[in-house]
Short mmCIF file of all heavy atoms in Angstrom, two decimals:
data_model
loop_
_atom_site.label_atom_id
_atom_site.label_comp_id
_atom_site.label_asym_id
_atom_site.label_seq_id
_atom_site.Cartn_x
_atom_site.Cartn_y
_atom_site.Cartn_z
N ASN E 421 18.34 10.45 10.29
CA ASN E 421 19.28 11.61 10.58
C ASN E 421 20.72 11.32 9.89
O ASN E 421 21.35 12.32 9.69
CB ASN E 421 19.47 11.80 12.09
CG ASN E 421 18.18 12.32 12.66
OD1 ASN E 421 17.33 12.85 11.89
ND2 ASN E 421 17.99 12.16 13.99
N GLU E 422 21.01 10.16 9.72
CA GLU E 422 22.37 9.86 9.05
C GLU E 422 22.51 10.56 7.76
O GLU E 422 23.66 11.07 7.47
CB GLU E 422 22.53 8.45 8.82
CG GLU E 422 23.37 7.64 9.96
CD GLU E 422 23.18 6.22 9.79
OE1 GLU E 422 23.21 5.65 8.85
OE2 GLU E 422 23.02 5.58 10.91
N THR E 423 21.46 10.59 6.90
CA THR E 423 21.67 11.09 5.56
C THR E 423 20.83 12.29 5.25
O THR E 423 20.91 12.95 4.22
CB THR E 423 21.32 10.01 4.58
OG1 THR E 423 20.06 9.58 4.84
CG2 THR E 423 22.38 8.91 4.54
N SER E 424 19.89 12.71 6.21
CA SER E 424 18.98 13.69 5.91
C SER E 424 19.29 15.11 6.30
O SER E 424 20.00 15.34 7.26
CB SER E 424 17.58 13.34 6.42
OG SER E 424 17.21 12.07 5.85
N SER E 425 18.66 16.06 5.55
CA SER E 425 18.86 17.51 6.00
C SER E 425 18.08 17.91 7.26
O SER E 425 18.56 18.62 8.03
CB SER E 425 18.65 18.39 4.81
OG SER E 425 17.22 18.15 4.33
N PHE E 426 16.87 17.50 7.28
CA PHE E 426 15.97 17.91 8.43
C PHE E 426 15.95 16.79 9.36
O PHE E 426 15.62 15.63 9.15
CB PHE E 426 14.55 18.01 7.85
CG PHE E 426 13.48 18.40 8.86
CD1 PHE E 426 13.25 19.73 9.17
CD2 PHE E 426 12.77 17.43 9.38
CE1 PHE E 426 12.33 20.08 10.08
CE2 PHE E 426 11.79 17.81 10.40
CZ PHE E 426 11.56 19.04 10.71
N LYS E 427 16.50 17.13 10.63
CA LYS E 427 16.71 16.08 11.60
C LYS E 427 15.39 15.74 12.46
O LYS E 427 14.62 16.65 12.68
CB LYS E 427 17.72 16.43 12.59
CG LYS E 427 19.10 16.86 11.92
CD LYS E 427 19.77 15.66 11.30
CE LYS E 427 21.10 16.09 10.54
NZ LYS E 427 21.57 15.15 9.46
N VAL E 428 15.26 14.47 12.82
CA VAL E 428 14.07 14.15 13.70
C VAL E 428 14.48 13.74 14.96
O VAL E 428 15.56 13.27 15.20
CB VAL E 428 13.28 13.04 12.99
CG1 VAL E 428 12.67 13.41 11.68
CG2 VAL E 428 14.03 11.77 12.86
N GLY E 429 13.56 13.93 16.03
CA GLY E 429 14.00 13.40 17.40
C GLY E 429 12.72 13.13 18.13
O GLY E 429 11.84 12.41 17.62
N PHE E 430 12.74 13.54 19.40
CA PHE E 430 11.64 13.19 20.32
C PHE E 430 10.24 13.57 19.73
O PHE E 430 9.31 12.75 19.85
CB PHE E 430 11.81 13.84 21.68
CG PHE E 430 10.72 13.66 22.59
CD1 PHE E 430 10.44 12.44 23.25
CD2 PHE E 430 9.78 14.71 22.96
CE1 PHE E 430 9.29 12.24 24.05
CE2 PHE E 430 8.68 14.57 23.67
CZ PHE E 430 8.49 13.27 24.27
N LEU E 431 10.15 14.69 19.18
CA LEU E 431 8.87 15.15 18.65
C LEU E 431 8.36 14.21 17.64
O LEU E 431 7.11 13.95 17.54
CB LEU E 431 9.03 16.60 18.17
CG LEU E 431 7.84 17.49 18.26
CD1 LEU E 431 7.38 17.72 19.73
CD2 LEU E 431 8.14 18.91 17.66
N TRP E 432 9.10 13.79 16.79
CA TRP E 432 8.78 12.91 15.70
C TRP E 432 8.24 11.54 16.26
O TRP E 432 7.13 11.08 15.96
CB TRP E 432 10.04 12.68 14.80
CG TRP E 432 9.76 11.59 13.70
CD1 TRP E 432 9.04 11.72 12.66
CD2 TRP E 432 10.30 10.32 13.71
NE1 TRP E 432 9.03 10.55 11.78
CE2 TRP E 432 9.88 9.70 12.58
CE3 TRP E 432 11.16 9.60 14.54
CZ2 TRP E 432 10.21 8.37 12.05
CZ3 TRP E 432 11.58 8.25 14.18
CH2 TRP E 432 11.01 7.69 12.97
N ARG E 433 8.93 11.10 17.22
CA ARG E 433 8.50 9.83 17.92
C ARG E 433 7.14 10.09 18.63
O ARG E 433 6.26 9.20 18.50
CB ARG E 433 9.56 9.27 18.84
CG ARG E 433 10.91 8.87 18.19
CD ARG E 433 11.76 8.02 19.09
NE ARG E 433 12.14 8.77 20.24
CZ ARG E 433 13.21 9.40 20.39
NH1 ARG E 433 13.91 9.71 19.41
NH2 ARG E 433 13.49 10.09 21.58
N LEU E 434 7.03 11.20 19.14
CA LEU E 434 5.77 11.49 19.91
C LEU E 434 4.65 11.54 18.91
O LEU E 434 3.55 11.05 19.08
CB LEU E 434 5.91 12.78 20.65
CG LEU E 434 4.67 13.29 21.41
CD1 LEU E 434 4.45 12.30 22.61
CD2 LEU E 434 4.79 14.71 21.89
N CYS E 435 4.80 12.13 17.80
CA CYS E 435 3.84 12.23 16.75
C CYS E 435 3.41 10.90 16.34
O CYS E 435 2.14 10.59 16.15
CB CYS E 435 4.36 13.05 15.49
SG CYS E 435 4.38 14.83 15.79
N ILE E 436 4.29 9.96 16.15
CA ILE E 436 3.97 8.69 15.70
C ILE E 436 3.15 7.95 16.79
O ILE E 436 2.11 7.26 16.45
CB ILE E 436 5.20 7.85 15.30
CG1 ILE E 436 5.69 8.50 14.02
CG2 ILE E 436 4.94 6.42 15.07
CD1 ILE E 436 6.95 8.07 13.46
N VAL E 437 3.46 8.04 17.98
CA VAL E 437 2.70 7.41 19.08
C VAL E 437 1.30 8.01 19.11
O VAL E 437 0.27 7.22 19.15
CB VAL E 437 3.47 7.54 20.44
CG1 VAL E 437 2.57 7.02 21.52
CG2 VAL E 437 4.78 6.77 20.36
N LEU E 438 1.17 9.32 19.09
CA LEU E 438 -0.08 9.96 19.19
C LEU E 438 -0.93 9.56 17.95
O LEU E 438 -2.15 9.22 18.05
CB LEU E 438 0.02 11.50 19.10
CG LEU E 438 0.61 12.08 20.36
CD1 LEU E 438 0.72 13.57 20.32
CD2 LEU E 438 -0.31 11.69 21.64
#
Side-chain angles (χ1 to χ4, degrees):
N421 290 342
E422 264 167 36
T423 54
S424 299
S425 53
F426 178 88
K427 306 289 176 205
V428 299
F430 172 74
L431 210 58
W432 174 71
R433 296 197 297 274
L434 181 68
C435 284
I436 290 177
V437 175
L438 290 180

